[in-house]
Amino acid sequence: YIGMEKCASFCHNNEEMGFQFNIVKNSPHANAFKILVSEKAVRYARKANVKENPGESPACLKCHITGAGLDSTFFASTYRKEDGVTCEACHKGAFITKTFIPTEEDCLKCHNDSVHKMVRFNFKENCIKIAHRRPVSKLKET
């Protein structure tokens, strides 16, 4: 995993790509790790019988950061867990080299009630909320 800043510096923070990085860095996914240092996270952890600090708990990190549980060989020096759920969490898996569009099944790995109660996940509605599509290329006049 290379991290969000690297994705932005390669391609995803320019007009041609619709400034996708700027959209994503202000999303709930990008703030997923930050929420783990809040009092709210401590309350959620307590209710879920998580004994560790939420910011260090494997039960919490598995959905609040990209690549949780993997050893350091999976991460480039540009990766930062503080970036939360990054581009690669949704668009690449640990052993997948080609970028893909996530399915509902991919999202439900985290958007479920396994650790704490969540609002019912509606794939179609939530995709609209986090959309960061590439703009349609304009045809050049000849």
Side-chain angles (χ1 to χ4, degrees):
Y1 293 103
I2 61 171
M4 272 180 36
E5 293 287 335
K6 199 68 162 175
C7 293
S9 68
F10 278 154
C11 304
H12 297 277
N13 205 27
N14 58 52
E15 189 173 350
E16 181 183 349
M17 294 300 284
F19 295 99
Q20 294 167 320
F21 171 74
N22 290 338
I23 296 166
V24 173
K25 77 176 181 180
N26 293 308
S27 73
H29 281 148
N31 291 305
F33 179 77
K34 293 175 189 124
I35 194 75
L36 293 181
V37 297
S38 71
E39 191 56 41
K40 181 179 181 179
V42 171
R43 287 192 309 272
Y44 273 57
R46 204 173 294 131
K47 284 182 182 178
N49 293 316
V50 172
K51 306 295 183 213
E52 307 97 344
N53 171 339
E56 298 170 5
S57 169
C60 300
L61 292 173
K62 72 179 181 178
C63 291
H64 285 263
I65 67 169
T66 298
L70 297 175
D71 69 61
S72 63
T73 61
F74 283 89
F75 304 101
S77 62
T78 52
Y79 167 86
R80 296 173 354 114
K81 76 176 183 181
E82 294 80 12
D83 289 338
V85 179
T86 65
C87 315
E88 294 166 299
C90 299
H91 296 293
K92 287 186 183 251
F95 303 103
I96 299 170
T97 57
K98 187 174 191 274
T99 302
F100 68 92
I101 303 298
T103 64
E104 183 171 11
E105 184 179 319
D106 295 318
C107 298
L108 288 172
K109 290 175 184 171
C110 288
H111 290 276
N112 58 49
D113 289 328
S114 63
V115 177
H116 58 80
K117 186 73 177 150
M118 300 177 79
V119 176
R120 186 181 166 277
F121 183 75
N122 182 309
F123 180 70
K124 190 173 182 178
E125 286 178 15
N126 285 308
C127 284
I128 292 167
K129 288 179 187 176
I130 65 164
H132 48 278
R133 299 189 196 306
R134 188 155 115 188
V136 176
S137 298
K138 294 178 182 166
L139 295 175
K140 294 181 180 179
E141 292 183 34
T142 55

